[in-house]
Amino acid sequence: MRDRLLKTVLRSLSDGFAVIDREWRFTCANQSLAKMASKEPAELVGKNVWEMLPQLAGTTFFTELHRALEQQTPSQFESFSAPLNAWFEHRVYPSEDGLAIFSVDITERKQGEELLRFQANALSQVTEAVFGLDSQHRVAYWNEAAEALYGYSAAEVLGRPVEEVVRHRWIRPEDEAACADSLKTSGFWQGAVIHLKKAGEEIYIEGSVTRIEGAAETGASYLAINRDITQRRQAENYLGQAREELEERVLERTAELWEANEELRTEMAERKRAEVVLQTTNETLTKQAQLLEAAPDAMVAVNREGKIVLVNAQVEKLFGYGRDELLGQGVERLVPTRFRGQHAVHRAGFFKHAQVRPMGAGLDLYALRKDGTEFPAEISLSPLETGKGVLVCSAIRDITERKLAEQRVRELSRRLLSAQDEERRRLGRALHESTAQNLSALSLNLAVLDQMARPSLDDRAAQALAESLDLASQVARELRTLSFLLHPPVLDEAGLAQVLRSYISGFMQRTLVKVRLKVSPREFERLSPDFETAIFRIVQESLTNVHRHSGSKVAGIRLVKRSSAITLHVWDEGKGLSQSQERSDIPASMGVGILGMRERVKQLGGSMEVRSRNPGTLIEVVLPLEDEKGYPAHNDQNP
Ligand SMILES: Nc1ncnc2c1ncn2[C@@H]1O[C@H](COP(=O)(O)OP(=O)(O)O)[C@@H](O)[C@H]1O
Ligand SMILES: [Mg+2]
């Protein structure tokens, strides 16, 4: 009963089922199995298997069944049926009565596997890393390229869950869903992903995953084909970067161009503005020009570049140029060549601190006419604001007449001084030679008289005679001093240094003022008589002032001769000069002494300063020497 039930069940199985007795006869076969042999079950039962299916002789099926029966061990194996072009899987269970056989058509599975194997075989040749996953997502295939790429050998990974072997990271988070979605709908996904090698190194992968449908119960398997694009990506990155850089450079360049453009635009705007300004400037200038035209002085306006932009009629008259010859020309054309360089420098300086002032204070200025002649000029400068910038307007006056007048006055005073010197020299000599001789004769006579007549004289007469003798010698002394002061006779013969020494010793005796004299070098070479006389007179006048005005008990004189100049200092420690005396050049309160000193110094081309020191007064005189022997320059002209 149990047996029959079992047989009924087995008969209805979709798998093939048959029982075979020890004589290889079918005792039972179901529909599915009979179908595998292209028979009906009824045709098989009671028949010998190998007679019924002679094609099976010598196949796996044949040997496996014999082995199972002889050895009484179950067997499981696959066989291919050429006529049916189908694969079967057989499980064989032996018993004392025979064999029970279960057979399943596995052609479909086989074909899948075959395909997989074929593909895998093909894929092992490709350079892409290829791996297959079974339906449980375990690694079922791993080609050589995969070994090389991931660093795992096939033996290491086969059978392991793919998540353990191929760890991954999505490049963009949304890729994960896109992959799953694509596999589900189309069974195929292609894209890029980051994989980790065995050693943990990240690589960029471009790959595809194909879903391979299997039997319903086993589920799908997958095939992945991957390529390392790390380098390509780096190259792409590099390219991208290069492109970015390029773009950046293009942007920069564009910005530069834009800037340049902008500059150009502002420049154009400025030029336009300048044009307007120029126009108004020209108008202003025209107005000013009309005013300037009427000015009594020659007027020249110069721009920052030193170009003449305006002249009046007086300029044409004074310089002999036509207006057109000057406008737009450098102003230095009106300056004598030897002053041009300096003039340009001063001109630039004036533009920096433009203010109304005379040009070249303290200097003698000259201007150059077209014909090459020069004239002394007085020039005053004033800045003139115009829309176009600052112009400098100079008023030029020919001062030839004034210079000539000055020169005449100087010449007169020079003659006066030398006449005075001459007069003194003459007087001094007369006193020294004639008067002093006469006085000696008188003294001699008085002495003779005294000797011869004294015994016969009464007391009053003798007294008068003695007093006369004393007086005579006193007058002789005074006469000597006077004549020395008028003109030291030794000055002509012995020279300045020696004369100063003897003058000072006489001065000290007379005045009780202690004078220190320093002469350097100790012995002067002889100077020209003009210089020696002048220096002596200045020392004399200064020391007289010290004695008469300062109240000082000491005074000092220092005379230094260098190659280029002689410097004289006379100082005292007295009450000093009043402020007004010190300050003013030609003060009304000053006597002729200091004025005379100044005039002498000026005649010789030198300079003199009178200063207060603390305490006392200092007079400093500098006389320039021109030739190398230190012989003073005779120069009545301007320096
Ligand atoms: N060394 C000095 N110390 C003080 N005052 C002086 C000295 N030298 C000149 N002065 C003042 O300067 C004035 C001008 O001197 P100066 O020209 O020599 O004329 P004068 O000697 O005939 O007065 C003097 O009157 C005096 O007041
Ligand atoms: Mg005096």
Side-chain angles (χ1 to χ4, degrees), residues 541-542 544-551 572 574-578 581 589-597 610 616-617 619:
E541 178 64 40
S542 302
T544 306
N545 279 352
V546 171
H547 176 50
R548 276 169 60 190
H549 307 298
S550 78
D572 63 66
K575 67 179 172 87
L577 292 160
S578 71
Q581 281 170 333
S589 67
M590 287 243 175
V592 281
I594 290 177
L595 264 185
M597 283 154 67
V610 182
T617 307
I619 291 174

Side-chain angles (χ1 to χ4, degrees), residues 57-110:
T59 63
T60 317
F61 189 82
F62 182 88
T63 46
E64 280 297 318
L65 255 59
H66 279 82
R67 196 176 55 78
L69 191 65
E70 280 158 24
Q71 294 173 7
Q72 288 292 300
T73 51
S75 166
Q76 182 177 352
F77 61 91
E78 292 171 0
S79 71
F80 180 70
S81 157
L84 293 175
N85 192 25
W87 277 91
F88 298 99
E89 188 186 73
H90 310 278
R91 270 159 289 173
V92 181
Y93 304 95
S95 71
E96 281 177 22
D97 303 329
L99 296 168
I101 303 167
F102 294 87
S103 295
V104 185
D105 183 344
I106 57 162
T107 307
E108 222 172 291
R109 195 186 90 201
K110 267 293 188 197

Side-chain angles (χ1 to χ4, degrees), residues 355-371:
Q355 70 193 66
V356 179
R357 67 162 171 83
M359 184 194 282
L363 294 177
D364 289 303
L365 304 173
Y366 291 89
L368 182 66
R369 294 191 190 89
K370 186 183 179 181
D371 63 13

Side-chain angles (χ1 to χ4, degrees), residues 527-590:
L527 304 173
S528 81
D530 281 354
F531 269 56
E532 293 193 330
T533 306
I535 292 167
F536 177 73
R537 290 291 175 212
I538 292 166
V539 170
Q540 195 178 19
E541 178 64 40
S542 302
L543 282 182
T544 306
N545 279 352
V546 171
H547 176 50
R548 276 169 60 190
H549 307 298
S550 78
S552 175
K553 287 288 122 204
V554 290
I557 293 166
R558 196 160 69 100
L559 188 63
V560 178
K561 178 168 169 272
R562 297 204 182 80
S563 60
S564 60
I566 294 171
T567 311
L568 170 69
H569 284 152
V570 182
W571 53 265
D572 63 66
E573 292 179 358
K575 67 179 172 87
L577 292 160
S578 71
Q579 271 195 346
S580 69
Q581 281 170 333
E582 191 185 343
R583 219 177 27 235
S584 49
D585 228 10
I586 311 174
S589 67
M590 287 243 175

Side-chain angles (χ1 to χ4, degrees), residues 180-457:
D181 198 47
S182 175
L183 278 176
K184 204 160 123 195
T185 54
S186 70
F188 183 74
W189 172 82
Q190 190 170 32
V193 65
I194 295 166
H195 281 174
L196 274 131
K197 287 184 170 193
K198 184 181 179 182
E201 188 191 335
E202 282 194 345
I203 45 177
Y204 277 87
I205 294 294
E206 185 182 70
S208 66
V209 177
T210 311
R211 188 180 143 102
I212 297 161
E213 294 306 329
E217 58 271 27
T218 52
S221 55
Y222 296 90
L223 186 74
I225 303 173
N226 292 334
R227 179 183 310 173
D228 180 3
I229 55 158
T230 310
Q231 279 184 352
R232 194 177 86 195
R233 209 182 140 87
Q234 277 166 355
E236 275 173 3
N237 268 353
Y238 172 78
L239 274 177
Q241 229 169 300
R243 196 173 45 225
E244 264 167 39
E245 263 166 38
L246 195 72
E247 263 164 28
E248 214 167 282
R249 227 168 303 152
V250 167
L251 279 179
E252 264 170 35
R253 191 82 191 94
T254 314
E256 267 169 35
L257 277 173
W258 191 82
E259 234 166 71
N261 205 8
E262 200 57 10
E263 254 167 45
L264 210 66
R265 211 168 308 160
T266 41
E267 204 181 290
M268 271 164 68
E270 225 146 69
R271 201 169 292 173
K272 195 158 259 176
R273 207 170 54 83
E275 267 167 32
V276 174
V277 168
L278 194 67
Q279 220 168 346
T280 45
T281 306
N282 284 344
E283 280 162 24
T284 323
L285 282 180
T286 319
K287 259 180 248 153
Q288 282 164 347
Q290 284 162 358
L291 284 176
L292 291 183
E293 215 48 71
D297 290 328
M299 306 287 271
V300 174
V302 167
N303 67 11
R304 197 172 280 277
E305 286 73 47
K307 296 272 181 284
I308 299 171
V309 294
L310 197 91
V311 295
N312 66 358
Q314 306 299 322
V315 172
E316 293 179 293
K317 229 183 277 169
L318 190 56
F319 285 90
Y321 280 108
R323 206 170 286 229
D324 294 344
E325 292 175 282
L326 289 176
L327 290 176
Q329 300 295 320
V331 71
E332 268 79 35
R333 139 178 310 220
L334 303 179
V335 179
T337 334
R338 63 185 183 284
F339 299 129
R340 277 177 192 169
Q342 239 175 306
H343 186 268
V345 172
H346 285 307
R347 178 167 52 71
F350 185 81
F351 270 96
K352 279 196 196 114
H353 312 284
Q355 70 193 66
V356 179
R357 67 162 171 83
M359 184 194 282
L363 294 177
D364 289 303
L365 304 173
Y366 291 89
L368 182 66
R369 294 191 190 89
K370 186 183 179 181
D371 63 13
T373 57
E374 293 179 14
F375 63 88
E378 185 181 71
I379 302 172
S380 66
L381 302 172
S382 54
L384 183 68
E385 268 309 333
T386 72
K388 206 181 163 190
V390 180
L391 298 179
V392 168
C393 204
S394 39
I396 303 157
R397 190 171 295 175
D398 183 351
I399 54 166
T400 308
E401 287 303 314
R402 199 169 79 197
K403 281 275 170 189
L404 283 174
E406 273 177 19
Q407 225 165 305
R408 275 197 294 273
V409 169
R410 190 156 303 145
E411 176 59 23
L412 267 175
S413 66
R414 191 185 67 80
R415 274 202 229 147
L416 200 67
L417 280 171
S418 63
Q420 195 184 40
D421 283 343
E422 191 45 48
E423 180 70 4
R424 282 178 175 182
R425 184 181 282 124
R426 206 181 53 72
L427 270 175
R429 195 168 291 143
L431 281 178
H432 181 68
E433 286 165 9
S434 160
T435 315
Q437 300 292 334
N438 290 341
L439 193 63
S440 324
L442 181 64
S443 297
L444 212 63
N445 285 345
L446 283 174
V448 170
L449 197 64
D450 186 39
Q451 256 180 10
M452 295 173 64
R454 186 180 294 227
S456 55
L457 292 176

